[in-house]
Amino acid sequence: MKKSRILGVGHYVPERIVTNNDLSKMMDTNDEWIVNRTGIQQRHWFTPGVDTVTSMSKNASELALKRAGVTTSEIDFIIFATVTPDYFIPGNGVLLQRELGMGTIGALDIRNACSGFIYALSIADQFIKTGMYKKILVVGAEIQSSALDVSDAGRSSAVIFADGAGAVVVGAVETNQPGILSTHLHAQGEYAEELYCKDPGSSREVRLSPELIVSGSFNLTMNGNAVFKHAVVRFIEVIKEALDANNLSKSAIDLLVPHQANLRISQYVQNKLELPDEKVFNNIMHMGNTTAATIPIALSEAWEQGRIKEGDLICLAAFGSGFTWASALLQW
Ligand code: UT7
């Protein structure tokens, strides 16, 4: 039996920075509201014709591979978490495989929105532990800005979501080495429509029509209050579940890297767990909420800033559309 370990992490965000003041020219909003309610000061949005989910994930993956000291030829499998793939069909994993020239290795797409990266990491962990694969590239990447309603009607979602990509290389190590200790995955489909993008759905006469476009059903729709209320409960639950499963107390955590949904959610979780500021990593202030990409982007920035050291106990936790929520506990 092997253990899996994150060998390297990288990220890439589009060059275009969109500030809160930029948003206030598109819709009825303002810097004060956005900062007070979400903590976000600016975010990155893609430039059509320049950035794609594939191009961003390629850049993030190349950095993760370089930092891991691993070449593309050593990777056995790709797991790609995104709800905003470049094509409706096929998924984005195959596009990244082609772009990186990775032969005919398998590529799997995960559609679990904000929890997608932890779901993907968990699958990588299982494949490695069984001995099926030795090195897996796990990616979270999104272009959310093209599905946002930037009119006044969509302002509560439009100010939150953003674009970017993060990637990790997960490799097999001996069981006495640091690595992934556990993952816990949950879902509750009764709340699917509280945060969703209805179209292009398949169960209607036509997937695309001028009427559907005008109806706004292609835009992301969110009941922010409901998401917030469930998120703060589930974050705590799933982190405690991870600690209990490993007989660890919350004080053992060296760094909590929560999905960057809203700074107020992260702060609530931090307070409940009584963690000092240096034990929680947030970058939503300059990154916004990049859905499946928030955790690998945050991990990459935390690593660059020296906030993660070898052997540290890192807790990842996420909550989002589905609803789905998840945690991963690992020693770096
Ligand atoms: O990634 C995982 C999924 N997403 C999340 O975790 C997001 C969770 N939810 C949230 O982050 C928050 O619910 C939001 C930031 C989306 C909204 O904050 P809120 O404190 O729940 O505000 P609200 O929707 O209750 O709206 C309060 C007021 C309303 O005005 P009235 O009715 O009180 O006059 C809104 O119309 O704020 C208004 N409002 C805005 N005002 C300025 C909503 N959006 C905006 C805006 N700018 N962008």
Side-chain angles (χ1 to χ4, degrees):
M1 186 89 161
K2 294 282 181 187
K3 196 175 195 177
S4 44
R5 185 178 186 180
I6 294 180
L7 305 176
V9 57
H11 76 282
Y12 178 84
V13 288
E15 273 182 25
R16 181 180 167 211
I17 291 173
V18 178
T19 65
N20 293 344
N21 285 332
D22 293 333
L23 292 180
S24 70
K25 291 173 193 133
M26 303 174 203
M27 63 193 89
D28 181 16
T29 191
N30 57 76
D31 181 59
E32 193 188 355
W33 191 97
I34 302 171
V35 171
N36 286 342
R37 302 281 178 138
T38 72
I40 302 169
Q41 292 158 13
Q42 61 180 53
R43 76 285 290 142
H44 295 256
W45 280 7
F46 87 122
T47 300
V50 175
D51 308 296
T52 63
V53 172
T54 306
S55 71
M56 294 191 306
S57 61
K58 178 176 185 262
N59 292 338
S61 300
E62 285 176 339
L63 191 56
L65 285 159
K66 189 171 157 213
R67 288 172 174 173
V70 168
T71 62
T72 49
S73 61
E74 293 175 71
I75 298 291
D76 305 311
F77 195 61
I78 297 169
I79 309 180
F80 201 118
T82 185
V83 284
T84 57
D86 285 331
Y87 298 144
F88 193 64
I89 303 169
N92 236 101
V94 298
L95 302 180
L96 180 64
Q97 184 234 43
R98 177 175 68 187
E99 204 63 23
L100 288 172
M102 296 171 100
T104 57
I105 62 166
L108 171 70
D109 271 46
I110 302 293
R111 285 173 46 83
N112 286 66
C114 302
S115 310
F117 179 78
I118 299 182
Y119 267 74
L121 190 67
S122 178
I123 293 165
D125 185 35
Q126 313 314 315
F127 273 138
I128 282 177
K129 281 196 289 209
T130 60
M132 175 120 175
Y133 296 123
K134 290 195 176 60
K135 288 190 176 63
I136 301 179
L137 181 61
V138 181
V139 180
E142 307 277 4
I143 289 180
Q144 286 290 2
S145 61
S146 55
L148 298 176
D149 174 1
V150 292
S151 74
D152 292 355
R155 62 183 181 171
S156 67
S157 300
V159 299
I160 291 181
F161 291 103
D163 308 333
V168 296
V169 176
V170 182
V173 294
E174 298 305 324
T175 47
N176 61 357
Q177 296 273 301
I180 297 177
L181 302 176
S182 65
T183 55
H184 290 91
L185 312 177
H186 294 280
Q188 193 173 17
E190 69 188 274
Y191 296 111
E193 286 79 19
E194 298 291 11
L195 172 49
Y196 80 135
C197 191
K198 190 173 181 188
D199 285 309
S202 309
S203 304
R204 62 193 82 251
E205 268 179 54
V206 285
R207 285 186 192 168
L208 182 61
S209 68
E211 293 75 26
L212 278 178
I213 293 171
V214 171
S215 77
S217 62
F218 289 87
N219 295 326
L220 196 68
T221 306
M222 175 169 76
N223 177 353
N225 288 302
V227 176
F228 198 104
K229 281 181 193 145
H230 286 265
V232 290
V233 174
R234 298 305 192 185
F235 263 109
I236 303 287
E237 259 180 31
V238 81
I239 292 168
K240 286 194 168 153
E241 188 179 11
L243 291 168
D244 290 347
N246 293 283
N247 289 318
L248 290 166
S249 67
K250 55 194 180 186
S251 62
I253 296 175
D254 291 305
L255 195 68
L256 171 67
V257 182
H259 162 57
Q260 300 291 292
N262 179 323
L263 190 60
R264 287 192 299 144
I265 295 178
S266 296
Q267 287 168 340
Y268 180 94
V269 173
Q270 175 179 351
N271 288 338
K272 279 277 172 198
L273 294 173
E274 298 172 314
L275 294 173
D277 287 349
E278 64 271 18
K279 287 193 169 194
V280 182
F281 189 83
N282 290 304
N283 64 359
I284 192 169
M285 302 77 88
H286 61 272
M287 287 293 182
N289 177 343
T290 56
T291 319
T294 66
I295 289 178
I297 292 174
L299 268 180
S300 177
E301 285 205 322
W303 183 84
E304 286 170 0
Q305 293 168 23
R307 299 274 301 270
I308 302 179
K309 296 179 299 298
E310 194 163 333
D312 276 358
L313 185 72
I314 311 292
C315 183
L316 313 178
F319 178 91
S321 173
F323 291 141
T324 59
W325 61 102
S327 64
L329 204 56
L330 51 107
Q331 273 181 308
W332 193 261

